[in-house]
Amino acid sequence: MSDNQTAILVYLGKDGKTFGPFSVAEVEAMKISGEFYRYEWMWDGQSPNWVLVPPPAPPPPPPPPTGVQGPAIPPPSSAAAAAAVAATQAASSPQTQTQAQPAKPLSYAKETRTMEVPAGKFTNPASTGTASAADAPIRKTSQTFQALCHDYHRVVAGRAVEVTSRGCQMVCKDASLAPPFMKNSQVWMDLYDEPTDRSVTLRVTLAQLNRKGEDWVYDVSWENCPLL
C-alpha cells in the first residue's frame, strides 16, 4: 500500500450522523465483512462533497465449462470475396471519388427525462398564457428523503421532511451552538429516494432556521422537485 493511500482518511455517514475517520485498510476490511454497505454516505476528506455509498457488487458468475468452444466461423465464399474486391475497386476509382458526397455528421440522441402528469390536474402555461410555477397546485408527500446540503466548502447531512413541490424542512442532528449555514443561504441540495434509488440535485434557499433540541431545522424553498 502506498504512503498516499495510507494518509487518506474516510468518513462515513448514516441517519444524519458522521462516523470515522477510517483508514483505507479499515474500509477494505469493512467491505469484506459487509459493514461498509450499512452506511449511506462517504467522504474521503479531500473531495468537495459527500457521495453515496455504492451497493455491494453481485457475486461473479460461475466459470465456463472446460473443453467447450464456440462454433467455427466459415471462410467467405468465392462469390462473396469477388463482390468485396469489386466494391473496393469501385470505391477507389476516380469517377466514384468525384461523385462521392461529403459524409454527414453523426447525430446523437439527447437523453431526456419525462414525467407523467395526471390528465386535468395541471394547467398548461402555453395554452393560457397566464399560468406560472407559482400558480401551479402545491404537491405534497409524506415520504422522507435523505438530504445533503453543501456549498463546496461545508457539508451538512440530514433528513428532508414535509416535502412539497415548493420546498421542505431539513432536519440536521448537530449539537454545535452555531448553525452550519446561516439564514437565507443559497446552497446545493442532494435528495435521495432510497425506495426507488433515484436522486436529484437542486439549487435551494435556506429561508428560515430554528433550533429544536439537538437538531437544526431549516425551512428550504426551491422552484420544483422532480422526485414528486
Side-chain angles (χ1 to χ4, degrees):
M1 181 179 299
S2 64
D3 295 338
N4 187 28
Q5 289 180 325
T6 305
I8 294 177
L9 297 178
V10 179
Y11 295 83
L12 300 174
K14 182 181 181 181
D15 297 332
K17 297 181 180 180
T18 302
F19 301 87
F22 303 96
S23 66
V24 174
E26 290 174 329
V27 171
E28 293 299 325
M30 293 168 66
K31 289 182 179 179
I32 296 175
S33 65
E35 181 182 358
F36 174 78
Y37 303 103
R38 299 176 183 175
Y39 294 92
E40 301 162 349
W41 302 92
M42 63 178 296
W43 183 46
D44 61 4
Q46 300 177 357
S47 303
N49 51 10
W50 292 70
V51 296
L52 290 172
V53 171
T66 59
V68 177
Q69 297 181 355
I73 300 176
S77 62
S78 57
V85 172
T88 303
Q89 293 177 350
S92 61
S93 64
Q95 182 179 1
T96 304
Q97 293 179 357
T98 303
Q99 297 177 355
Q101 299 295 328
K104 295 182 179 180
L106 296 176
S107 60
Y108 297 91
K110 183 178 180 181
E111 181 180 359
T112 58
R113 297 176 61 185
T114 58
M115 298 179 60
E116 295 184 359
V117 180
K121 188 174 182 180
F122 300 103
T123 304
N124 184 2
S127 62
T128 61
T130 58
S132 62
D135 299 327
I138 297 178
R139 291 162 291 168
K140 299 180 181 180
T141 179
S142 59
Q143 186 175 350
T144 298
F145 300 94
Q146 298 181 27
L148 188 72
C149 277
H150 65 88
D151 59 357
Y152 295 104
H153 297 285
R154 292 162 294 181
V155 179
V156 176
R159 297 177 292 107
V161 299
E162 299 184 13
V163 181
T164 72
S165 56
R166 303 299 300 277
C168 71
Q169 281 194 347
M170 180 177 177
V171 181
C172 308
K173 289 190 176 296
D174 192 343
S176 59
L177 298 178
F181 295 104
M182 302 305 295
K183 178 181 176 181
N184 295 327
S185 297
Q186 290 189 345
V187 298
W188 294 100
M189 173 176 280
D190 297 332
L191 291 178
Y192 176 62
D193 183 9
E194 187 172 4
T196 61
D197 196 26
R198 295 188 305 160
S199 62
V200 66
T201 300
L202 305 173
R203 185 65 170 173
V204 303
T205 301
L206 306 179
Q208 295 291 337
L209 173 63
N210 297 289
R211 184 70 172 179
K212 294 184 179 179
E214 295 185 354
D215 298 338
W216 286 107
V217 181
Y218 290 93
D219 288 345
V220 183
S221 61
W222 52 52
E223 291 293 334
N224 189 26
C225 181
L227 291 181
L228 296 184

